[in-house]
Amino acid sequence: MGTIVAFENISLDGVTQDPTAEEGVSRDDWRAALGPADREAWYKMIADDALGAQAVLLGRRSYEYFAARYPPRTGTLADRLNSLPKFVVSTVLADPDWINSTVLAGDVVDSVAALKRTVSGEIRVYASTRLMHTLVEHDLVDELRLVVFPLVMGVGERLFGRTSNHQQMRLVDVRTVGDSLTHLTYQRVRASERPAE
């Protein structure tokens, strides 16, 4: 059985939208304020994280973003992303052209639950905020890995939307990345793991 591990860059106020400033929400690429050593540490952390994944799960917009950039690239991260099986949740994308990509058609919750049953190991979700809202709402996320950038956006889509039920998480790791970033890892606490009241 696979586990869904979401890896997100996030601002101090919970925004995940437009860290590259390509959508017009952010004025600057979030990495622009980082020094070279911090950018290098951030990149190495993401590349190392990707090496632990067995598959990638993306929403359509994030899939299109990555598919437009990674196929011609080389290096640890690009080589890993290009080689991994990729699953994209979409009702409009029919024939993905990025190698090893499959569209999950039909009901998102059912499709992702079936994917968890068929993939052994970690299924990584990158940069897919809208998909994350659905996954969290339906208790499909097993672990969150958040890289907190030292900025307050004030506007933009946030990682967590409204949810109909309480979601308890357990902090399992905290570390600094370079001098400016914080990497937080949370695991989902299932009802069966909660202490009796």
Side-chain angles (χ1 to χ4, degrees):
M1 179 109 173
T3 57
I4 292 186
V5 178
F7 187 106
E8 294 284 345
N9 295 315
I10 189 168
S11 69
L12 287 170
D13 58 339
V15 173
T16 55
Q17 185 180 10
D18 200 20
T20 60
E22 295 177 61
E23 296 177 47
V25 175
S26 299
R27 287 191 313 254
D28 299 304
D29 185 318
W30 295 6
R31 297 163 297 183
L34 301 177
D38 285 358
R39 278 196 303 273
E40 184 177 325
W42 172 81
Y43 176 82
K44 182 180 183 329
M45 177 198 51
I46 291 174
D48 288 347
D49 185 81
L51 293 174
Q54 299 306 309
V56 176
L57 174 63
L58 300 166
R60 180 192 51 82
R61 291 186 320 156
S62 297
Y63 172 84
E64 290 173 345
Y65 177 88
F66 285 110
R69 288 159 179 79
Y70 278 90
R73 293 182 182 176
T74 59
T76 304
L77 180 58
D79 292 347
R80 186 64 177 159
L81 290 179
N82 286 325
S83 68
L84 280 171
K86 290 164 283 291
F87 298 91
V88 56
V89 174
S90 177
T91 57
V92 296
L93 184 66
D95 189 22
D97 56 4
W98 192 9
I99 189 169
N100 299 326
S101 295
T102 303
V103 174
L104 295 179
D107 180 77
V108 174
V109 175
D110 291 342
S111 296
V112 172
L115 180 65
K116 285 182 74 168
R117 289 190 298 272
T118 60
V119 172
S120 179
E122 294 182 357
I123 303 163
R124 194 73 79 246
V125 180
Y126 291 119
S128 297
T129 302
R130 290 179 184 173
L131 174 59
M132 280 295 299
H133 291 172
T134 301
L135 298 179
V136 168
E137 174 68 18
H138 294 279
D139 203 21
L140 290 168
V141 176
D142 299 289
E143 186 169 295
L144 291 171
R145 296 179 187 166
L146 307 176
V147 180
V148 183
F149 279 71
L151 54 93
V152 175
M153 294 297 298
V155 66
E157 287 186 45
R158 285 169 169 71
L159 178 60
F160 301 107
R162 297 184 99 168
T163 183
S164 62
N165 58 357
H166 178 80
Q167 303 277 332
Q168 187 173 343
M169 307 296 287
R170 175 187 306 115
L171 181 66
V172 294
D173 188 45
V174 178
R175 59 185 160 118
T176 56
V177 179
D179 293 325
S180 303
L181 303 172
T182 305
H183 182 264
L184 305 171
T185 302
Y186 291 91
Q187 289 178 345
R188 179 76 172 96
V189 177
R190 306 287 177 199
S192 62
E193 300 172 315
R194 294 181 193 148
E197 294 181 9

